Amino acid sequence: MIRSSSNPRVTTIRRLRSRHGRRDTDLLLLEGPHLATAAAEAGLTLRHLLVTPDFQVRHAELVDRVEHESGTRAAPIDPERLREQADADAPQGIAAIAEPPRTWKTAENAAPALPPGLHLYADGIQDPGNLGAMARSAEAAGAASLLLSPGTARASHPRALRASAGSLLRIQLWTDVGVDQLPSDARCLALAPRSAHPESTPSVPLFSSDGESVPLSPTDSIVLAVGSESRGLSAPLLDRADLLLSIPTVAAVQSVNATVAASLALFELRRLLD
């Protein structure tokens, strides 16, 4: 039973909760049964699997499955130790420390190759919860990859991982993707309020009765770019955009949450592609 706050596995969890600690390691803190199961099913390498005695008793079948699929034996941990170190407000009795998925790549040394299909570009999204929720919507809409600009929240943030409900462990992820690294033959569609539309760039509303208002081809690499609610899209991204999209709203509501906007656009573009 792990009881000491100085136990190496406990200090690893503590380190992964801090921004500086995450910078110094590639490990991920996965809290809760959903993420632990998703990690095992995705074939991630689990360095440690920690469960409280009560969780072990109540969810023995789940723990056995995670152990079997990951090849990692669960270690019992005192509930107070896990509660003290957990990032989640209500720890659920199980946590895993894992190596990142092989689907995570960085664009620091090479531009990402984007196959035909839909891709989501997060431009300066700084809220980890928003990033995780966007990843979940991107996977649900069948997006081929998620691209993160420099300055976007880290996918390894525990809150991003929880909000993604496992999607960040499965989707192809590219980090540190500068606007100039987007393939020249990719079509860049940017969600932006009409006030940000440069006169030289055409703009169309989503959910138009005219389905041809957003002409798409299944053979295209289509990059949907979404910026943060406070800052919007960066100037380089607006300059790069082939088309600017807007979401029609009633006059009293000028904008919607960035995650909601991304989700609406992803599923509408998927509908138009199909």
Side-chain angles (χ1 to χ4, degrees):
M1 172 79 72
I2 298 172
R3 291 189 173 89
S4 172
S5 59
S6 60
N7 180 280
R9 282 168 283 194
V10 174
T11 57
T12 298
I13 293 176
R14 188 182 307 130
R15 187 166 66 249
L16 292 174
R17 288 185 57 206
S18 74
R19 181 175 60 182
H20 297 297
R22 288 191 297 274
R23 285 178 181 170
D24 297 335
T25 180
D26 288 332
L27 297 178
L28 308 178
L29 172 59
L30 307 174
E31 298 179 272
H34 192 97
L35 281 183
T37 302
E41 292 176 346
L44 269 63
T45 298
L46 301 190
R47 295 281 188 88
H48 305 292
L49 179 62
L50 309 174
V51 297
T52 62
D54 181 62
F55 187 93
Q56 174 74 65
V57 170
R58 290 186 294 109
H59 303 282
E61 184 177 342
L62 183 149
V63 174
D64 287 344
R65 186 167 69 251
V66 173
E67 287 182 324
H68 175 73
E69 294 184 356
S70 67
T72 302
R73 186 68 179 270
I77 184 171
D78 183 279
E80 285 303 313
R81 292 290 80 76
L82 186 61
R83 188 176 299 113
E84 288 172 358
Q85 305 306 325
D87 184 80
D89 292 334
Q92 299 179 56
I94 183 172
I97 298 171
E99 295 181 6
R102 289 184 289 274
T103 53
W104 287 17
K105 299 180 180 179
T106 180
E108 288 181 331
N109 302 318
L114 302 184
L118 189 57
H119 307 265
L120 178 63
Y121 183 82
D123 185 33
I125 301 296
Q126 297 183 330
D127 185 300
N130 276 348
L131 176 62
M134 284 184 185
R136 187 176 185 179
S137 292
E139 185 187 28
S145 69
L146 173 62
L147 315 172
L148 310 185
S149 74
T152 289
R154 294 172 69 93
S156 60
H157 195 292
R159 189 146 46 95
L161 291 164
R162 290 199 305 277
S164 80
S167 290
L168 278 171
L169 305 180
R170 295 184 293 264
I171 196 168
Q172 175 69 63
L173 178 76
W174 286 89
T175 62
D176 298 304
V177 182
V179 173
D180 60 342
Q181 291 178 295
L182 295 176
S184 59
D185 59 347
R187 295 196 62 206
C188 184
L189 312 182
L191 271 177
R194 291 191 176 278
S195 59
H197 293 179
E199 293 182 1
S200 60
T201 304
S203 63
V204 297
L206 277 168
F207 312 109
S208 167
S209 59
D210 178 8
E212 296 302 315
S213 59
V214 186
L216 302 174
S217 169
T219 61
D220 290 339
S221 296
I222 300 164
V223 177
L224 172 67
V226 180
S228 69
E229 295 174 60
S230 58
R231 301 181 183 180
L233 292 163
S234 62
L237 196 288
L238 287 170
D239 290 339
R240 169 65 176 81
D242 299 299
L243 192 67
L244 297 180
L245 305 177
S246 61
I247 295 178
T249 60
V250 298
V253 180
Q254 297 182 357
S255 65
V256 294
N257 173 274
T259 300
V260 173
S263 300
L264 290 171
L266 282 164
F267 281 98
E268 175 65 0
L269 295 176
R270 172 54 55 194
R271 185 187 70 82
L272 293 176
L273 280 170
D274 292 342

